[in-house]
Amino acid sequence: MNQNSIAVDVENVVKRYDSVTALHGVSMDIREGEFFTLLGPSGCGKTTLLRCIAGFEDVTEGAIRLRGEDIAPLPPHRRPVNTVFQQYALFPHMTVLENVSFGLRRRGWIEMDAEARAREVLELVQLKDFAQRRPGQLSGGQQQRVALARALAPNPEVLLLDEPLSALDLKLRQAVRVELKQIQRETGIAFVFVTHDQEEALTMSDRIAVMSEGYVQQIGTPRDIYEAPLNRFVADFIGETNLLDVEVAAVSEGMAEVFLPGGLALRCPAAASAVAGRGHLSVRPERISIGPKSAETLPATVTDHVYLGTDIHLHARLVDGEPILVRMQNSESSGIPERGSELGLRFEAGAARLLVD
Amino acid sequence: MIKPLDLRRFTGFRALTILCLVVLYAPLIIVAIYSFNDSTSITRWGGFSLKWYVDVFTGPDAPKFRNAAINSFTIAIGAATCATIIATAAAVAMNRAGRFRGKVASLALINLPLMVPEIVTAVASLIFFITIGFKTGLMTIFIAHLVFCIPFAYLPISARMQSVPDVYEQAAMDLYATPWEAFRLILLPLMIPGILSGFLLAFIISLDDFLITNFVKGAGIETLPTAIFGSVKQGIKPNIMAISTLLLGVSVVFVTLSWFIGRAGQSKN
Amino acid sequence: MAAAAPAGATRSEIYRGNGPRLMLPVWAFIGIFLVLPVLLMAIYSFLTKEFRGGVIWEITLAAYDQFFLDRGLFGDEPPQIEWTYIGIFWRSIWQAGLATFFCLLIGFPTAWFIATRNAAVRPVWLFLVTIPYWVNLLIRTVSMKFLIRDTGPLNEFLLWLGVISEPLSLINTNFAVQLGLFYSYLPFMVLPVYAAVERYDFALSEAAADLYADNWTTLRLVILPVVKPGIVAGCILVFVPSLGAFLAPDLLGGAKTFMIGSLIEEQFKGAAGNWPFGAAAAMILLTIVLGVLLLHARAQAKGGR
């Protein structure tokens, strides 16, 4: 399967309910065989978009094309996509095997073939000994895998996953991530994965679409999204960051001249649409180091520190009163600065990034 | 929390509960006991006997009561079955079909038989059948029963449907099931407890009805309640007590049945 | 946040577009065999009576005139208010109201008592209260008649105890009708009140106790207001059928305890044979009942619960 051909083409999709607009003209291309994540806080429209692709919601405007074919007129049961539901929605009155072969039977497979295929998929998710159980007799993790097997069995063109890990506890969730990614690679099916958990998104995805309030904020690889956020929302939502209020002297060719609080000048990368004036500079807490005050450092006063085991969070205040967070590794021998002590912060120009609001 | 139970306790409530149960059960239990009375005088106890039960099945009134019983059960089964089907369709419309014109009015219509006093329904039905020239008889009883059975069947069915999340049907349709397949293979099996309690409730309500039946039944056609009423008008005879006890038994069997179905339905989810 | 409500909890539209089709049987059966008959009955109440049942299709207000106004034996005196039928209605309302009151008086403590049992035995108590609800009303009324007859087991028992020396004459009294109504509809009170009490959050009682309220004060100021919707529902479920009741007044009462149900029944099945008058009385009863239900619906809509 060609990695670069388009599996799902979402073009300018608008979804309006009576008074609420859930999607304001959303566009994205999901490629064949990729693990694509829709990431955003609850209410951002990610689930709505997923349900539009599955066919449970009508699109108000725009188009969704599956391998080039407009699927708007197709009801859910005629769309060659399958869904792993948030609470799995395993049919409680059927066995695991009946659940997994359900889709195949509806597509007209005879019972024997459907059963053979179902067993094959159950083996893929390591549940072949549970074929005759009922969903109620399985653990949460096992139910999740049955749901995956059921959706994979008909070999869909695209697999949709609606926060499938949110019902699992933390330990299990981390194990399942690896497994899920592995299954995706083995089957080569494009996965569209919805989550509000940025860590989940970063660890599993080939590409991520960050959404907020019905708009796509940024689409890119996990590295792009984390290291080169386009705007304030993305920087703030993905990981922790400091957003410093700065004066922007000039912007040209992706670089900006800014003045930090205290007057220190800095030349750093800028988001495409940044302009001169006031702006926000994003600096990740782990990219800041501390040292004695000097002309090349950003002066700050320590207000508090939080001991987190592997890390220590240092809360400080800049000269203009703005709070700033520094994440120190616990290995540093210098010890933890006292509350009230004054020190100098430094970071590489490449670690900072000027954002659009 | 020293004694949390104290907040729930009110002096006298236990006594009133016992009183409530005594009032509810005393007449039924006493009639049941007297139905086994050997004496022909209905108030003097003359020893244990089954003779009134024998009388019910073989006595001079036996054919009358047998016909009435056949009519009652036929109508109850027919009306409850049709009401259950109609109520299931209505529940799907109300709970699974989104918005449509006349939805609010439809709900009011379903509940209308519960709101109109029985005597008014009885009078209106009689006037209607007479005016359109419909011959009163078994058919008119059946139609009248079907109408007032619909809301009783609808209540448990709709309640059950609300408690079954529609994500199961969505999952089915996502797996290529047509809407009809999603209904038949997923919703219907999950609805069985609700449908059974709806049917049983409608059945009992139909079996129970006297007033409307008495208005719309044709001459010479009796159901058990109208036959019993006619007989009681001439004084309570011991064979009536035997019939009452038998019907009481039927009710107890049904309520027990529906109770266990309800519990089975609960434990499944 | 309608946009990202979890799948399944969203608006159920699986069978979208099929609503009217699925609702058709309800419209057909209840529409044709209940709404149409009631409308026809309304028309009948304005028609001219034919002796020995039936009507003549001539519009007249005679039925309502007969109900409300007294024009003397020959109909030529100046109209005065006719109290006979208004009196019957008034007695019915009074009896139904009294029955509702007594049902609440016994039903609330019963519902409360059951709802505060532990979870293992609660279904058994509930089951016991439910059984009579499923037993044929006619049989229950006949049983009551048997129990309280002059020579019935109740009198025998009281005579044997020596509490009374003469049998009590209970049958054919207002008391008997009252007892019959109370007994008929008591389960209708217990079940909705129970449903409300079961949902009651006992943390509220704890909070009230913490703020120095004793149990009875808590009942009055906290519990009753909170479970009021259940109580109101129970009262309506008892009051409405009591008002139009036929079996209890007919079997347990006599001429002096005549209620609306019997009045209407007599016009169609009995000797009176005045169909328009019966239809008019039924219309008035229907108006009262729908008025009560409408008031309740409005209060519910206003209270938002």
Side-chain angles (χ1 to χ4, degrees):
Chain A
M1 226 173 269
N2 186 347
Q3 265 280 310
N4 290 319
S5 63
I6 306 299
V8 185
D9 174 15
V10 176
E11 191 187 308
N12 241 324
V13 165
V14 175
K15 173 67 190 173
R16 260 191 296 273
Y17 298 104
D18 298 333
S19 53
V20 199
T21 304
L23 297 172
H24 300 261
V26 166
S27 297
M28 60 188 71
D29 291 337
I30 296 156
R31 297 171 195 148
E32 294 286 3
E34 86 173 327
F35 197 117
F36 190 91
T37 298
L38 300 173
L39 173 66
S42 69
C44 73
K46 56 191 191 298
T47 297
T48 307
L49 179 59
L50 197 78
R51 291 171 62 79
C52 286
I53 300 173
F56 298 124
E57 307 278 358
D58 289 332
V59 169
T60 314
E61 279 169 37
I64 297 175
R65 278 181 286 272
L66 199 65
R67 293 188 173 157
E69 187 201 354
D70 189 348
I71 54 173
L74 298 180
H77 63 276
R78 306 258 288 279
R79 296 188 185 194
V81 296
N82 292 134
T83 307
V84 177
F85 290 85
Q86 192 170 13
Q87 305 294 334
Y88 317 137
L90 299 176
F91 306 134
H93 58 299
M94 295 182 185
T95 62
V96 166
L97 191 69
E98 285 167 335
N99 264 284
V100 177
S101 47
F102 187 91
L104 300 165
R105 299 282 289 142
R106 303 281 81 69
R107 295 213 100 173
W109 289 43
I110 60 165
E111 198 173 337
M112 220 169 61
D113 294 351
E115 224 184 279
R117 165 71 181 155
R119 287 188 191 279
E120 191 184 308
V121 186
L122 279 174
E123 188 154 2
L124 179 73
V125 298
Q126 294 158 16
L127 279 178
K128 68 173 163 40
D129 297 335
F130 294 81
Q132 294 310 324
R133 299 272 187 99
R134 301 240 167 194
Q137 299 166 302
L138 302 179
S139 72
Q142 290 167 336
Q143 289 183 15
Q144 194 269 337
R145 280 186 280 165
V146 175
L148 183 65
R150 185 176 71 174
L152 282 172
N155 206 9
E157 292 180 15
V158 176
L159 189 76
L160 310 174
L161 302 99
D162 185 7
E163 307 222 14
L165 309 185
S166 63
L168 304 179
D169 62 45
L170 186 67
K171 274 260 164 63
L172 194 53
R173 213 183 307 161
Q174 285 167 342
V176 172
R177 276 181 204 164
V178 180
E179 219 174 297
L180 197 58
K181 177 78 189 169
Q182 204 176 337
I183 286 171
Q184 190 266 330
R185 229 179 270 131
E186 274 174 44
T187 56
I189 294 173
F191 277 28
V192 181
F193 184 92
V194 160
T195 183
H196 62 269
D197 182 333
Q198 40 121 347
E199 196 183 315
E200 218 164 88
L202 293 176
T203 52
M204 298 166 79
S205 316
D206 293 320
R207 285 192 309 146
I208 299 172
V210 183
M211 295 180 68
S212 153
E213 294 178 352
Y215 294 95
V216 172
Q217 301 292 339
Q218 184 171 1
I219 299 177
T221 63
R223 202 184 168 114
D224 282 346
I225 301 266
Y226 189 79
E227 292 182 4
L230 273 183
N231 58 32
R232 225 179 125 171
F233 176 83
V234 176
D236 210 23
F237 188 73
I238 312 290
E240 260 178 318
T241 197
N242 291 296
L243 289 168
L244 306 180
D245 195 9
V246 293
E247 197 184 317
V248 185
V251 183
S252 65
E253 289 162 15
M255 294 301 275
E257 296 276 354
V258 302
F259 292 100
L260 297 174
L264 193 67
L266 186 73
R267 191 175 151 76
C268 65
S273 48
V275 287
R278 303 296 301 180
H280 280 95
L281 194 69
S282 162
V283 190
R284 299 280 180 198
E286 71 273 15
R287 304 291 292 266
I288 304 175
S289 58
I290 59 172
K293 270 209 295 198
S294 75
E296 287 85 49
T297 62
L298 188 59
T301 311
V302 178
T303 53
D304 206 354
H305 50 74
V306 179
Y307 182 79
L308 292 172
T310 55
D311 290 345
I312 293 162
H313 277 186
L314 205 61
H315 293 268
R317 214 169 268 289
L318 300 179
V319 285
D320 64 348
E322 259 193 284
I324 187 163
L325 179 70
V326 180
R327 183 187 287 181
M328 302 162 51
Q329 293 233 305
N330 202 2
S331 61
E332 280 173 44
S333 50
S334 54
I336 305 164
E338 291 289 314
R339 209 172 293 168
S341 60
E342 305 207 337
L343 37 76
L345 307 178
R346 65 171 77 233
F347 47 86
E348 287 168 44
R353 189 173 167 82
L354 183 66
L355 302 177
V356 241
D357 279 352
Chain B
M1 296 220 291
I2 301 165
K3 281 185 270 176
L5 253 181
D6 274 357
L7 293 173
R8 301 165 184 232
R9 181 168 301 151
F10 290 90
T11 325
F13 276 23
R14 177 191 295 268
L16 287 172
T17 305
I18 307 279
L19 176 68
C20 172
L21 290 178
V22 167
V23 170
L24 287 176
Y25 281 95
L28 298 175
I29 290 171
I30 285 173
V31 163
I33 292 171
Y34 273 85
S35 71
F36 295 104
N37 192 356
D38 190 42
S39 162
T40 23
S41 150
I42 62 165
T43 41
R44 287 260 176 275
W45 181 253
F48 179 85
S49 150
L50 286 174
K51 73 176 186 191
W52 299 116
Y53 288 88
V54 176
D55 182 75
V56 167
F57 290 104
T58 60
D61 285 344
K64 186 176 96 182
F65 283 119
R66 191 170 51 235
N67 281 337
I70 291 170
N71 286 345
S72 266
F73 280 92
T74 311
I75 288 168
I77 289 170
T81 306
C82 295
T84 303
I85 294 168
I86 293 172
T88 305
V92 172
M94 294 308 289
N95 296 305
R96 289 289 202 266
R99 269 178 287 178
F100 56 90
R101 271 188 63 174
K103 187 171 180 176
V104 178
S106 297
L107 188 62
L109 203 64
I110 293 170
N111 287 312
L112 195 63
L114 298 179
M115 296 192 273
V116 177
E118 236 194 313
I119 182 81
V120 176
T121 307
V123 166
S125 303
L126 173 67
I127 289 177
F128 177 74
F129 288 131
I130 295 289
T131 307
I132 65 168
F134 212 106
K135 195 172 176 307
T136 51
L138 279 181
M139 195 61 198
T140 49
I141 302 176
F142 168 77
I143 290 172
H145 280 216
L146 171 55
V147 167
F148 68 72
C149 280
I150 289 173
F152 286 99
Y154 176 81
L155 290 176
I157 292 174
S158 181
R160 175 77 192 176
M161 204 174 284
Q162 273 165 18
S163 75
V164 175
D166 70 342
V167 71
Y168 293 125
E169 293 142 272
Q170 286 186 2
M173 290 168 84
D174 186 62
L175 293 161
Y176 315 110
T178 61
W180 168 243
E181 282 174 322
F183 174 76
R184 189 168 52 88
L185 299 172
I186 307 299
L187 184 57
L188 204 57
L190 294 176
M191 288 287 305
I192 289 294
I195 289 175
L196 277 180
S197 19
F199 175 83
L200 289 178
L201 193 55
F203 179 84
I204 285 288
I205 293 293
S206 165
L207 208 58
D208 197 49
D209 182 73
F210 163 74
L211 198 53
I212 294 172
T213 311
N214 195 38
F215 268 73
V216 300
K217 78 188 175 73
I221 292 176
E222 302 283 354
T223 63
L224 271 179
T226 63
I228 292 172
F229 184 81
S231 179
V232 167
K233 275 287 167 181
Q234 289 142 34
I236 303 177
K237 277 174 267 162
N239 62 345
I240 291 297
M241 291 200 266
I243 292 177
S244 298
T245 308
L246 287 173
L247 269 181
L248 179 69
V250 170
S251 299
V252 171
V253 167
F254 268 86
V255 69
T256 311
L257 216 60
S258 89
W259 196 60
F260 280 110
I261 290 168
R263 302 206 96 192
Q266 270 167 16
S267 60
K268 225 181 230 173
N269 286 327
Chain C
M1 296 205 190
T10 46
R11 309 144 309 130
S12 287
E13 297 191 353
I14 301 275
Y15 309 105
R16 178 173 28 187
N18 290 307
R21 211 183 320 162
L22 290 165
M23 208 41 100
L24 192 67
V26 166
W27 282 88
F29 276 95
I30 299 182
I32 295 174
F33 296 109
L34 184 60
V35 176
L36 219 57
V38 168
L39 294 177
L40 194 64
M41 183 184 79
I43 295 173
Y44 261 57
S45 71
F46 294 104
L47 296 181
T48 309
K49 75 168 172 180
E50 189 167 23
F51 290 99
R52 304 162 62 79
V55 286
I56 300 164
W57 284 79
E58 278 168 28
I59 303 287
T60 167
L61 280 172
Y64 292 95
D65 192 280
Q66 182 187 348
F67 190 95
F68 290 109
L69 298 175
D70 176 11
R71 293 176 191 273
L73 200 53
F74 303 103
D76 51 0
E77 291 167 32
Q80 287 178 314
I81 293 180
E82 164 68 73
W83 290 106
T84 315
Y85 306 115
I86 296 174
I88 290 173
F89 267 66
W90 176 245
R91 185 161 58 225
S92 301
I93 292 171
W94 171 249
Q95 285 279 29
L98 220 54
T100 308
F101 174 76
F102 285 121
C103 283
L104 182 59
L105 208 64
I106 302 286
F108 179 81
T110 304
W112 180 271
F113 182 78
I114 294 173
T116 52
R117 295 306 91 194
N118 70 47
V121 295
R122 210 184 301 155
V124 179
W125 281 98
L126 203 59
F127 184 60
L128 282 177
V129 177
T130 323
I131 289 179
Y133 169 80
W134 290 71
V135 174
N136 196 308
L137 183 61
L138 173 63
I139 287 175
R140 294 171 62 209
T141 314
V142 170
S143 303
M144 184 57 91
K145 185 182 171 86
F146 174 71
L147 180 66
I148 64 170
R149 299 148 44 106
D150 293 357
T151 56
L154 183 66
N155 271 317
E156 298 270 314
F157 179 66
L158 293 176
L159 283 170
W160 179 78
L161 275 181
V163 182
I164 53 171
S165 52
E166 287 279 297
L168 293 173
S169 198
L170 293 173
I171 211 83
N172 297 349
T173 61
N174 275 325
F175 173 79
V177 175
Q178 188 52 240
L179 186 65
L181 292 176
F182 167 76
Y183 168 64
S184 299
Y185 303 116
L186 183 55
F188 289 8
M189 180 65 83
V190 177
L191 296 177
V193 173
Y194 168 81
V197 173
E198 201 200 15
R199 284 195 303 268
Y200 174 74
D201 179 4
F202 280 95
L204 295 179
S205 284
E206 285 168 11
D210 185 54
L211 296 165
Y212 321 109
D214 64 38
N215 275 7
W216 292 98
T217 312
T218 305
L219 178 69
R220 191 163 50 85
L221 296 179
V222 180
I223 297 168
L224 286 181
V226 170
V227 301
K228 198 174 121 196
I231 290 177
V232 173
C235 287
I236 287 179
L237 284 179
V238 173
F239 182 80
V240 167
S242 298
L243 193 60
F246 172 74
L247 284 176
D250 190 78
L251 289 173
L252 302 171
K256 275 184 292 183
T257 60
F258 217 58
M259 280 176 63
I260 302 174
S262 311
L263 174 70
I264 296 172
E265 200 255 4
E266 196 178 52
Q267 308 306 320
F268 292 91
K269 308 295 280 185
N274 186 342
W275 285 30
F277 182 71
M283 280 306 295
I284 295 167
L285 172 63
L286 183 62
T287 310
I288 295 173
V289 167
L290 291 184
V292 169
L293 293 175
L294 205 66
L295 279 181
H296 172 56
R298 294 247 316 251
Q300 245 185 344
K302 215 186 276 174
R305 50 193 302 168

